[in-house]
């Protein structure tokens, strides 16, 4: 279920998906200068990551992902942010992504489900 909120000053979508038996709430917001994605299974902000496309110097784009707050020893969270920024970049925009992940399950299957749900309901 997806809800697009247009009355609020920030364009946003809210949805809930079931990932491996865990209800996962996802909020996608489009600001003028960045995108914000919040995915939570426990109702908190969790680990916050910042992902951006580096300046185009070569033919092959490069991306930077950094943990702003939270678990720094979770490479799957960084991989999730990288996949999302690659999707954003491939659509033609260069806006960075702020991603908040608060999950009970950090498995590859759960993170792929989040990437899939966000890209299907994208605002870019």
């Amino acid at each position: 279920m997806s809800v697009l909120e247009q009355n609020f000053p920030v364009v946003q979508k809210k949805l809930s998906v079931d990932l491996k038996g865990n209800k996962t709430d996802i909020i996608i917001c489009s600001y003028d200068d960045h995108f914000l994605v919040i995915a939570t299974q426990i109702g908190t902000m969790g680990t916050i990551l910042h992902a951006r496309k580096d300046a185009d110097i070569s033919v092959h784009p490069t991306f930077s992902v950094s943990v702003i707050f939270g678990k720094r020893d979770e490479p799957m969270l960084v991989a999730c942010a990288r996949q999302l920024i690659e999707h954003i970049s491939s659509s033609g925009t260069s806006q960075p992504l702020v991603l908040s992940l608060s999950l009970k399950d950090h498995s590859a299957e759960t993170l792929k489900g989040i990437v899939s749900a966000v890209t299907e309901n994208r605002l870019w």
Side-chain angles (χ1 to χ4, degrees), residues 8-122:
F8 190 68
V10 175
V11 178
Q12 62 178 328
K13 279 189 180 180
K14 299 177 186 177
L15 59 136
S16 291
V17 294
D18 185 85
L19 300 173
K20 294 180 65 179
N22 293 311
K23 178 184 176 226
T24 307
D25 296 316
I26 300 174
I27 300 172
I28 307 164
C29 301
S30 176
Y31 293 89
D32 287 338
D33 60 346
H34 70 280
F35 296 103
L36 170 66
V37 175
I38 301 170
T40 182
Q41 293 175 334
I42 56 177
T44 63
M45 289 291 285
T47 300
I48 301 173
L49 301 106
H50 182 265
R52 65 180 173 83
K53 180 180 177 183
D54 292 330
D56 282 335
I57 298 173
S58 67
V59 177
H60 305 290
T62 57
F63 303 93
S64 297
V65 178
S66 57
V67 177
I68 296 172
F69 178 81
K71 296 182 178 182
R72 298 184 185 279
D73 60 345
E74 290 284 344
M76 292 303 289
L77 302 183
V78 173
C80 182
R82 181 175 169 90
Q83 283 188 333
L84 286 173
I85 195 63
E86 286 179 9
H87 282 287
I88 291 169
S89 176
S90 68
S91 71
T93 184
S94 61
Q95 292 181 356
L97 168 71
V98 176
L99 174 64
S100 171
L101 296 170
S102 179
L103 308 172
K104 295 177 185 175
D105 175 25
H106 292 184
S107 70
E109 183 180 340
T110 296
L111 294 170
K112 284 180 185 177
I114 290 170
V115 170
S116 176
V118 170
T119 54
E120 289 171 11
N121 292 282
R122 65 181 173 252

